[in-house]
Amino acid sequence: MSSHHFVKEQQEPALLILNTAGISFEQIAPLLEWVPTILVVQDEVPVVISWGVKIDLILAEMDFQKSHYHLLEEQYPVKFLGVQEENFLEEGLQYLIASKHGAVNIIGLDHLKVFELEPMLEFLDIVVWDGPIRYFPIKNGQFKKWLPATSLQLHAPEGTILEVQTPEGNEMVQVKHATFIEVEEGTTIIKGNGIFWIGEFMNT
């Protein structure tokens, strides 16, 4: 590893792996390019090791730590981060904030829980991967991006009104559970009051 990685380490988005169900190694491989800090929940450790990924921190309850002490040697320099009452997500995020990380990709979080993350957005840039869809928050009320023809999921509290501007024209969209919109190739602008999230299908 070249020395500049040590300087940049905390600037790269960390990887917090909560659940690997529905997630392939090919999906997360591009996220590993810059050698991010990798935190893994205890139950997912065997899968992540089988991917050949080096883990930095295992989020683990005391029983797991006692019965898997050998991992500290086998996966050196991995460490355990103690967790109680299965608060893996909260403990992982608190660790990243305390260690001055600026961003994190959370793998395997139910997208219906993203609203619970919003208090953390002041401290961390957060992207959530749920199966084939990657969700990212729009914090300043406006999303603007050139996109190929694709489907996007608009994710906000039920009943939220978002304005969608595409090359085809403007429309007001009321967000309900799993609101998808089709956008044509070109620049898409989405505006709303407050934070909202956009889900983008990731090609594996």
Side-chain angles (χ1 to χ4, degrees):
M1 186 191 295
S2 62
S3 60
H4 78 273
H5 272 128
F6 290 105
V7 178
K8 289 181 65 177
E9 203 165 50
Q10 258 92 318
Q11 293 171 22
E12 305 304 334
L15 208 55
L16 173 52
I17 300 177
L18 299 177
N19 191 335
T20 57
I23 300 282
S24 67
F25 174 69
E26 287 69 30
Q27 273 175 285
I28 67 161
L31 305 178
L32 301 171
E33 202 172 312
W34 290 101
V35 196
T37 300
I38 297 176
L39 290 74
V40 180
V41 168
Q42 58 187 36
D43 293 346
E44 300 302 324
V45 168
V47 174
V48 177
I49 290 174
S50 77
W51 286 344
V53 172
K54 204 78 180 136
I55 301 169
D56 295 295
L57 212 62
I58 298 171
L59 297 158
E61 295 179 316
M62 189 52 70
D63 287 349
F64 182 93
Q65 293 183 42
K66 287 176 181 168
S67 58
H68 292 79
Y69 200 73
H70 59 93
L71 288 171
L72 297 181
E73 192 174 319
E74 291 169 14
Q75 297 293 311
Y76 182 84
V78 74
K79 295 177 185 150
F80 286 131
L81 180 64
V83 174
Q84 293 181 330
E85 297 173 2
E86 299 191 356
N87 286 327
F88 299 111
L89 175 62
E90 192 177 328
E91 292 289 348
L93 293 176
Q94 293 291 358
Y95 170 83
L96 292 172
I97 292 168
S99 55
K100 302 286 192 288
H101 283 76
V104 60
N105 284 289
I106 302 176
I107 308 298
L109 177 68
D110 183 340
H111 68 279
L112 297 176
K113 295 182 177 174
V114 296
F115 306 128
E116 298 169 21
L117 302 175
E118 290 178 1
M120 301 282 191
L121 293 176
E122 188 182 337
F123 310 103
L124 280 173
D125 288 327
I126 297 175
V127 176
V128 169
W129 300 66
D130 183 5
I133 303 182
R134 180 181 87 111
Y135 295 85
F136 51 91
I138 307 304
K139 296 186 271 190
N140 61 2
Q142 178 171 310
F143 165 83
K144 182 178 182 180
K145 189 179 179 183
W146 185 93
L147 295 166
T150 187
S151 293
L152 295 177
Q153 183 176 358
L154 304 179
H155 192 44
E158 189 101 3
T160 299
I161 304 288
L162 298 177
E163 180 184 355
V164 180
Q165 301 173 8
T166 68
E168 302 289 292
N170 289 14
E171 64 172 319
M172 305 302 284
V173 177
Q174 184 174 21
V175 177
K176 298 187 170 63
H177 177 62
T179 297
F180 286 90
I181 57 169
E182 304 298 321
V183 299
E184 299 298 319
E185 181 178 322
T187 299
T188 293
I189 299 172
I190 302 173
K191 296 178 182 176
N193 294 322
I195 297 170
F196 60 93
W197 296 70
I198 291 180
E200 203 174 21
F201 283 94
M202 302 308 294
N203 298 323
T204 54

